[in-house]
Amino acid sequence: MASNGTETVELVEKETIRNFSRAVVIAALTAVLAQFSIPLPGGIPFSFQPFGVFFAGLVLGPLWGGCAIALYVLTGVAGAPVFSNATGGLGVIAGPTGGFLLGFVAGAVVIGAVAHRRPSPRPVETLTLPWVLVGLLGGLVPIYVVGVSWLSAVAGLGLPQAATSMAPFFLGDLLKVAISVAVVATHGELLGRV
Amino acid sequence: MLTYSPGDSPIHRLDPRSKLCFQFGFAIAALFSSGPRLAALFVVAALAVSVTGLSPLRALWSYRVVLVVLAIAPLIAGFTPGPPWFRLDRAAESLRAVARVVPILLLSAAYIRATPVRETRAAIQRTIPGRAGQLLGTGVALTIRFVPVLREDVREVRDAIAARGGDRRPVHERAGRLVPLSIRRALARSDELAVALEARCFAWNPTLPRLQFSRPDYLVVGAAVVLTVSPLVSG
């Protein structure tokens, strides 16, 4: 008898569906936040994109947080205009800022791993603020290591020059780390209750 | 904005897996090319974009922000904090490096123009083995579905903050309100999504969209392999 491949339907477990759904909406939210920025004095844009990465790790933990940002990057590679300035495609990854997008995946994993200290996520309101701070600062490390190295290679800049050119953005990201810690401290229960 | 446009060009008809494979091979070849070989890759990419019915200039315009970053790089590379203040040799070296990205952007535009996202999703699910491929493929499709929904949610939150005079507050206060409220709304949406997936018997072994390699696909994959190893062969 011909097989139609539907004899055994292997349903996805309830907990996996819940975490997967959260990863999908955080990926979509990161795409939306990537289009939001506030111009600061000096012309440096204050982009909301890193908040998506930070809270992917903080809300979903290392496994599903990394999955969320991997989904975001893959969606962009697939051609959807989800990267900054509504761009998409493999060309953006191969471009000067592509390393930061790849670093975001590792950053979300590091943030989740340090803040939750286990693969599955804890409720946000139970996270301890010092670990949240260390996790967020630790998450910036792979983002900037991969991003600056990539920028240096693609744009033909020396590493010090590439790092110097990204310094204003790093200061902005430190401010975003502080805001994220404050959000966990003041709104942790709100985020954990949903 | 660069998006998929239905058509019947040879590139539209290719399997998304062969197109993705060619893109990767092309990117590797471009990043290790210079001079006439890079010029040839530029022509190939420009022709590919034209075949999909998009002018190369319009394709580049859609990547204008990336191009601005690329244009600034030689200026940063050439700058020195003292006499002679600007070194042309360093700027030229950087210019050669950033020129390699342009044909990759063009080819990427051709892919986006000629490939619906549902085909890329199918390619991901068939290429990445096991459950990871299933989750990532379905996840990409759902992420695209939820972007406009969450964009509206975030706009509503932003407008509500602005209506209360929040847009005149310092940036850290605005971000401190917008971010948690947006995440809370997104997580509420995720609960609805989880219920919808359960109701539709979300399974690890769904029926995948049909994809099929034809003769041109094998030629394109062969070209991708040649491009991928070309930097090794040419030393």
Side-chain angles (χ1 to χ4, degrees):
Chain A
M1 192 173 75
S3 166
N4 60 9
T6 56
E7 293 91 344
T8 55
V9 176
E10 197 184 345
L11 293 178
V12 180
E13 306 77 25
K14 194 169 183 170
E15 188 62 22
T16 305
I17 290 181
R18 184 171 181 269
N19 285 322
F20 173 66
S21 303
R22 289 183 154 217
V24 164
V25 295
I26 293 292
L29 182 64
T30 306
V32 173
L33 291 177
Q35 316 309 322
F36 277 71
S37 67
I38 299 173
L40 295 178
I44 303 290
F46 181 90
S47 167
F48 281 75
Q49 187 183 35
F51 288 115
V53 180
F54 293 171
F55 282 92
L58 291 177
V59 174
L60 302 174
L63 192 63
W64 290 102
C67 176
I69 302 306
L71 276 178
Y72 166 64
V73 173
L74 263 181
T75 304
V77 170
V82 297
F83 298 144
S84 296
N85 302 295
T87 53
L90 189 65
V92 179
I93 300 289
T97 55
F100 289 94
L101 291 168
L102 298 179
F104 282 163
V105 181
V109 172
V110 169
I111 291 165
V114 176
H116 293 266
R117 300 187 303 290
R118 65 180 196 188
S120 58
R122 301 171 196 270
V124 178
E125 70 269 26
T126 64
L127 298 178
T128 49
L129 290 184
W131 282 112
V132 169
L133 177 62
V134 172
L136 289 169
L137 292 174
L140 289 180
V141 174
I143 293 172
Y144 275 88
V145 166
V146 179
V148 170
S149 306
W150 193 280
L151 175 66
S152 167
V154 170
L157 297 170
L159 264 179
Q161 281 178 312
T164 306
S165 66
M166 295 313 295
F169 296 96
F170 182 71
L171 294 175
D173 283 345
L174 288 179
L175 175 61
K176 288 165 205 171
V177 165
I179 292 169
S180 299
V181 173
V183 165
V184 172
T186 56
H187 295 85
E189 204 176 329
L190 186 79
L191 298 178
R193 200 172 57 218
V194 178
Chain B
M1 189 190 299
L2 199 56
T3 53
Y4 167 70
S5 174
D8 194 35
S9 74
I11 297 178
H12 279 84
R13 289 198 297 270
L14 287 171
D15 187 285
R17 291 169 291 182
S18 62
K19 284 187 267 191
L20 279 171
C21 192
F22 187 80
Q23 268 199 105
F24 280 105
F26 187 91
I28 290 170
L31 289 174
F32 290 95
S33 294
S34 57
R37 189 183 301 172
L38 184 63
L41 291 174
F42 202 111
V43 171
V44 168
L47 279 174
V49 172
S50 303
V51 165
T52 65
L54 182 70
S55 85
L57 282 179
R58 277 197 63 192
L60 288 177
W61 177 250
S62 64
Y63 285 118
R64 57 194 176 280
V65 177
V66 180
L67 292 174
V68 167
V69 176
L70 289 175
I72 291 170
L75 300 177
I76 296 172
F79 174 75
T80 57
W85 299 106
F86 196 80
R87 285 186 53 180
L88 272 177
D89 55 334
R90 285 189 187 170
E93 192 182 328
S94 171
L95 189 62
R96 277 193 293 273
V98 298
R100 294 176 181 130
V101 179
V102 181
I104 302 173
L105 288 172
L106 277 174
L107 195 73
S108 178
Y111 178 85
I112 293 170
R113 178 85 172 175
T115 316
V117 172
R118 67 174 181 278
E119 284 193 4
T120 305
R121 171 208 168 177
I124 291 169
Q125 283 180 310
R126 287 174 186 276
T127 307
I128 301 175
R131 294 181 167 186
Q134 293 300 334
L135 284 186
L136 289 174
T138 310
V140 165
L142 288 171
T143 300
I144 292 167
R145 168 71 185 81
F146 270 86
V147 167
V149 175
L150 291 180
R151 188 187 296 133
E152 272 312 300
D153 284 353
V154 174
R155 271 198 191 130
E156 276 181 24
V157 170
R158 190 187 59 181
D159 291 348
I161 291 171
R164 290 158 178 79
D167 55 341
R168 291 189 296 273
R169 307 297 300 171
V171 67
H172 67 275
E173 285 188 24
R174 287 154 73 180
R177 284 178 172 82
L178 181 75
V179 170
L181 292 172
S182 301
I183 292 171
R184 187 167 185 270
R185 283 213 174 189
L187 293 179
R189 296 273 184 197
S190 83
D191 289 345
E192 294 169 14
L193 174 61
V195 170
L197 287 174
E198 272 190 79
R200 285 161 180 77
C201 297
F202 185 42
W204 287 116
N205 51 348
T207 307
L208 295 178
R210 192 166 175 269
L211 292 179
Q212 192 170 24
F213 257 49
S214 57
R215 190 176 293 172
D217 286 300
Y218 290 106
L219 291 174
V220 169
V221 170
V225 172
V226 170
L227 285 169
T228 305
V229 299
S230 64
L232 295 172
V233 175
S234 62

